[in-house]
PDB file of all heavy atoms in Angstrom:
ATOM      1  N   CYS A  51      20.428 -25.060   0.773  1.00  0.00           N
ATOM      2  CA  CYS A  51      19.222 -25.492   0.077  1.00  0.00           C
ATOM      3  C   CYS A  51      18.703 -26.761   0.729  1.00  0.00           C
ATOM      4  O   CYS A  51      19.486 -27.587   1.208  1.00  0.00           O
ATOM      5  CB  CYS A  51      19.581 -25.754  -1.394  1.00  0.00           C
ATOM      6  SG  CYS A  51      18.132 -26.137  -2.349  1.00  0.00           S
ATOM      7  N   SER A  53      16.411 -28.692  -0.993  1.00  0.00           N
ATOM      8  CA  SER A  53      15.799 -29.441  -2.092  1.00  0.00           C
ATOM      9  C   SER A  53      16.861 -30.184  -2.877  1.00  0.00           C
ATOM     10  O   SER A  53      18.048 -29.855  -2.789  1.00  0.00           O
ATOM     11  CB  SER A  53      15.109 -28.484  -3.057  1.00  0.00           C
ATOM     12  OG  SER A  53      14.051 -27.843  -2.444  1.00  0.00           O
ATOM     13  N   CYS A  55      16.306 -30.702  -6.463  1.00  0.00           N
ATOM     14  CA  CYS A  55      15.657 -30.651  -7.777  1.00  0.00           C
ATOM     15  C   CYS A  55      16.567 -31.347  -8.785  1.00  0.00           C
ATOM     16  O   CYS A  55      17.771 -31.066  -8.831  1.00  0.00           O
ATOM     17  CB  CYS A  55      15.452 -29.195  -8.203  1.00  0.00           C
ATOM     18  SG  CYS A  55      14.616 -28.187  -6.981  1.00  0.00           S
ATOM     19  N   PHE A  57      17.003 -31.122 -11.904  1.00  0.00           N
ATOM     20  CA  PHE A  57      17.573 -30.374 -13.033  1.00  0.00           C
ATOM     21  C   PHE A  57      18.711 -29.459 -12.598  1.00  0.00           C
ATOM     22  O   PHE A  57      19.321 -28.782 -13.383  1.00  0.00           O
ATOM     23  CB  PHE A  57      16.475 -29.506 -13.686  1.00  0.00           C
ATOM     24  CG  PHE A  57      15.833 -28.574 -12.692  1.00  0.00           C
ATOM     25  CD1 PHE A  57      16.395 -27.352 -12.391  1.00  0.00           C
ATOM     26  CD2 PHE A  57      14.689 -28.965 -12.009  1.00  0.00           C
ATOM     27  CE1 PHE A  57      15.829 -26.519 -11.449  1.00  0.00           C
ATOM     28  CE2 PHE A  57      14.115 -28.132 -11.064  1.00  0.00           C
ATOM     29  CZ  PHE A  57      14.686 -26.914 -10.784  1.00  0.00           C
ATOM     30  N   CYS A  58      18.969 -29.418 -11.271  1.00  0.00           N
ATOM     31  CA  CYS A  58      19.861 -28.389 -10.723  1.00  0.00           C
ATOM     32  C   CYS A  58      21.278 -28.923 -10.517  1.00  0.00           C
ATOM     33  O   CYS A  58      21.467 -29.968  -9.899  1.00  0.00           O
ATOM     34  CB  CYS A  58      19.286 -27.884  -9.398  1.00  0.00           C
ATOM     35  SG  CYS A  58      20.354 -26.718  -8.555  1.00  0.00           S
ATOM     36  N   LYS A  62      25.686 -27.020  -3.733  1.00  0.00           N
ATOM     37  CA  LYS A  62      24.768 -26.674  -2.633  1.00  0.00           C
ATOM     38  C   LYS A  62      25.288 -27.194  -1.305  1.00  0.00           C
ATOM     39  O   LYS A  62      26.065 -28.139  -1.249  1.00  0.00           O
ATOM     40  CB  LYS A  62      23.397 -27.319  -2.883  1.00  0.00           C
ATOM     41  CG  LYS A  62      22.572 -26.601  -3.904  1.00  0.00           C
ATOM     42  CD  LYS A  62      21.472 -27.471  -4.446  1.00  0.00           C
ATOM     43  CE  LYS A  62      22.063 -28.517  -5.361  1.00  0.00           C
ATOM     44  NZ  LYS A  62      21.129 -29.288  -6.129  1.00  0.00           N
ATOM     45  N   GLY A 102      21.588 -21.696  -4.511  1.00  0.00           N
ATOM     46  CA  GLY A 102      20.935 -22.004  -3.260  1.00  0.00           C
ATOM     47  C   GLY A 102      19.568 -21.335  -3.048  1.00  0.00           C
ATOM     48  O   GLY A 102      18.931 -20.893  -3.973  1.00  0.00           O
ATOM     49  N   THR A 103      19.191 -21.324  -1.813  1.00  0.00           N
ATOM     50  CA  THR A 103      17.914 -20.747  -1.412  1.00  0.00           C
ATOM     51  C   THR A 103      18.156 -19.740  -0.280  1.00  0.00           C
ATOM     52  O   THR A 103      18.115 -20.100   0.896  1.00  0.00           O
ATOM     53  CB  THR A 103      16.947 -21.850  -0.927  1.00  0.00           C
ATOM     54  OG1 THR A 103      16.847 -22.860  -1.932  1.00  0.00           O
ATOM     55  CG2 THR A 103      15.565 -21.315  -0.637  1.00  0.00           C
TER      56      THR A 103
HETATM   57  S1  SF4 B   1      16.866 -25.270  -8.126  1.00  0.00           S
HETATM   58 FE1  SF4 B   1      17.058 -23.984  -6.293  1.00  0.00          FE
HETATM   59  S2  SF4 B   1      15.759 -25.051  -4.769  1.00  0.00           S
HETATM   60 FE2  SF4 B   1      16.166 -26.566  -6.416  1.00  0.00          FE
HETATM   61  S3  SF4 B   1      18.002 -27.666  -5.733  1.00  0.00           S
HETATM   62 FE3  SF4 B   1      18.713 -25.967  -7.035  1.00  0.00          FE
HETATM   63  S4  SF4 B   1      19.206 -24.296  -5.616  1.00  0.00           S
HETATM   64 FE4  SF4 B   1      17.896 -25.776  -4.484  1.00  0.00          FE
END
Side-chain angles (χ1 to χ4, degrees):
C51 185
S53 295
C55 308
F57 56 85
C58 175
K62 283 161 287 190
T103 306

